[in-house]
């Protein structure tokens, strides 16, 4: 080997962690529309609650959507979103009519969840 020869640069292969992050990010892209459709059910229910017109079918659909979001958002690295969805799930459980304050809280939580979901998971590091 001559001293003038360039030193070969070894590229670091992606770590297992980087590969997982890339896979999770790709899955988020694949399931994002489904996640936002679930959020839309919650937002519709919160709007109906504010008007005092939330029916059992809407409430049940919103509860189911919140339950699924609570279980799946953490998988995508959206821990805060999972917590918000859990709070929404608890509020939507049961059949008691919402007070104006509770309806307002439901709407606020749904708005915060939308912000969290819009942020989405962190993209994988560039290699």
């Amino acid at each position: 080997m001559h001293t003038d020869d360039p030193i070969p640069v070894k590229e670091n292969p992606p770590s297992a962690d980087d590969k997982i992050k890339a896979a999770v990010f790709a899955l988020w892209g694949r399931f994002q529309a489904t996640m936002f459709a679930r959020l839309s059910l919650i937002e519709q229910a919160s709007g109906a609650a504010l008007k005092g017109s939330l029916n059992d079918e809407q409430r049940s659909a919103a509860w189911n959507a919140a339950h699924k979001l609570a279980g799946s958002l953490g998988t995508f690295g959206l821990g805060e979103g999972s917590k918000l969805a859990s709070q929404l799930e608890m509020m939507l459980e049961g059949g008691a009519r919402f007070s104006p304050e509770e309806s307002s809280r439901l709407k606020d939580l749904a708005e915060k969840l939308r912000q969290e979901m819009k942020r989405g998971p962190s993209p994988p590091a560039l290699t």
Side-chain angles (χ1 to χ4, degrees), residues 8-99:
V9 177
K10 289 186 181 179
E11 290 189 28
N12 293 331
S15 69
D17 192 44
D18 289 339
K19 288 179 184 178
I20 291 169
K21 285 180 184 176
V24 167
F25 193 74
L27 281 173
W28 175 253
R30 184 172 165 201
F31 291 104
Q32 187 175 6
T34 300
M35 300 293 175
F36 278 95
R38 290 177 179 151
L39 175 60
S40 181
L41 291 172
I42 296 167
E43 290 171 332
Q44 290 169 19
S46 72
L50 281 169
K51 295 176 190 169
S53 63
L54 180 64
N55 64 42
D56 289 342
E57 187 178 323
Q58 284 175 305
R59 187 178 191 138
S60 178
W63 177 88
N64 189 40
H67 176 74
K68 288 179 179 178
L69 287 172
S72 61
L73 289 176
T75 304
F76 293 105
L78 300 174
E80 184 60 28
S82 184
K83 289 177 192 173
L84 291 166
S86 290
Q87 291 174 11
L88 285 159
E89 179 185 7
M90 285 188 279
M91 285 188 76
L92 290 160
E93 198 166 41
R97 192 172 181 92
F98 287 111
S99 69

